[in-house]
């Protein structure tokens, strides 16, 4: 079986073992939701995490968790609150990154106003609600242009 190109948030080789268990990924998703809620930053899932949550998969299969936040929310106040909630967070011009139990969590700062982020869908997965781009089909086709 041939290799496929590694997509952000998706596995590279179809037979490749993902380095994280379903439980580790689920806990990292919950940690992301809790952290962003405490920092009062609205976010939405992106890439493989968004696809798998939307499809309500039984077992998560990711190399990292990708999310997004609109730039208008990550100003001085948003950054300050996030640093209070999570002192070891790394924030640069385009990303916010941290990890939970070794699972990398990348939050992409979205600088452009995309229609599918304006009224996100809310999807219940596990024990939390997550926001997904809406309409998802339009986001999925355009996902490589966003970052």
């Amino acid at each position: 079986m041939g290799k496929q190109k590694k997509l952000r948030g998706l596995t590279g080789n179809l037979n490749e073992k993902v380095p994280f268990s379903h439980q580790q990924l689920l806990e990292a998703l919950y940690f992301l939701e809790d952290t962003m809620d405490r920092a009062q930053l609205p976010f939405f899932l992106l890439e493989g995490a968004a696809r798998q949550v939307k499809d309500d998969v039984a077992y998560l299969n990711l190399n990292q968790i990708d999310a997004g936040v609109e730039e208008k929310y990550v100003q001085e106040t948003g950054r300050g609150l996030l640093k209070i909630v999570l002192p070891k967070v790394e924030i640069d011009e385009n990303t916010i990154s941290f990890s939970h139990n070794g699972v990398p969590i990348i939050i992409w700062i979205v600088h452009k106003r995309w229609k599918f982020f304006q009224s996100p869908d809310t999807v219940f997965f596990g024990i939390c609600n997550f926001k997904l781009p809406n309409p998802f089909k339009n986001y999925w086709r355009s996902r490589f242009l966003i970052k």
Side-chain angles (χ1 to χ4, degrees):
M1 194 173 280
K3 288 189 177 190
Q4 69 183 165
K5 185 177 178 186
K6 182 177 186 280
L7 303 175
R8 292 177 294 243
L10 300 175
T11 58
N13 182 344
L14 293 174
N15 293 327
E16 177 181 316
K17 181 172 176 8
V18 175
F20 307 109
S21 70
H22 170 73
Q23 191 61 37
Q24 284 176 295
L25 292 165
L26 199 55
E27 288 175 11
L29 266 178
Y30 298 157
F31 182 77
L32 167 65
E33 194 278 331
D34 180 58
T35 300
M36 297 299 276
D37 184 53
R38 289 188 289 139
Q40 300 174 9
L41 290 172
F43 75 100
F44 36 85
L45 294 178
L46 296 176
E47 299 290 342
R51 169 56 72 189
Q52 291 181 31
V53 166
K54 181 187 182 322
D55 292 346
D56 196 22
V57 298
Y59 295 98
L60 293 170
N61 185 18
L62 302 163
N63 289 323
Q64 69 185 32
I65 294 177
D66 288 286
V69 63
E70 290 185 86
E71 181 180 31
K72 66 184 177 184
Y73 297 113
V74 191
Q75 302 303 326
E76 192 173 320
T77 306
R79 288 174 193 256
L81 280 171
L82 194 54
K83 286 182 179 185
I84 289 170
V85 171
L86 196 63
K88 294 184 180 182
V89 69
E90 295 177 25
I91 304 174
D92 65 31
E93 186 179 324
N94 296 311
T95 60
I96 300 168
S97 55
F98 52 96
S99 65
H100 179 72
N101 289 337
V103 177
I105 300 171
I106 310 296
I107 302 168
W108 297 88
I109 299 170
V110 179
H111 300 285
K112 185 178 174 188
R113 289 183 56 99
W114 294 88
K115 257 188 148 178
F116 36 74
F117 296 141
Q118 300 310 307
S119 350
D121 274 339
T122 301
V123 175
F124 187 75
F125 186 80
I127 59 170
C128 294
N129 286 317
F130 293 98
K131 302 283 186 189
L132 298 178
N134 178 29
F136 191 82
K137 178 176 69 171
N138 293 354
Y139 157 72
W140 196 250
R141 283 192 306 243
S142 308
R143 70 189 183 280
F144 299 111
L145 303 173
I146 294 168
K147 302 170 201 161

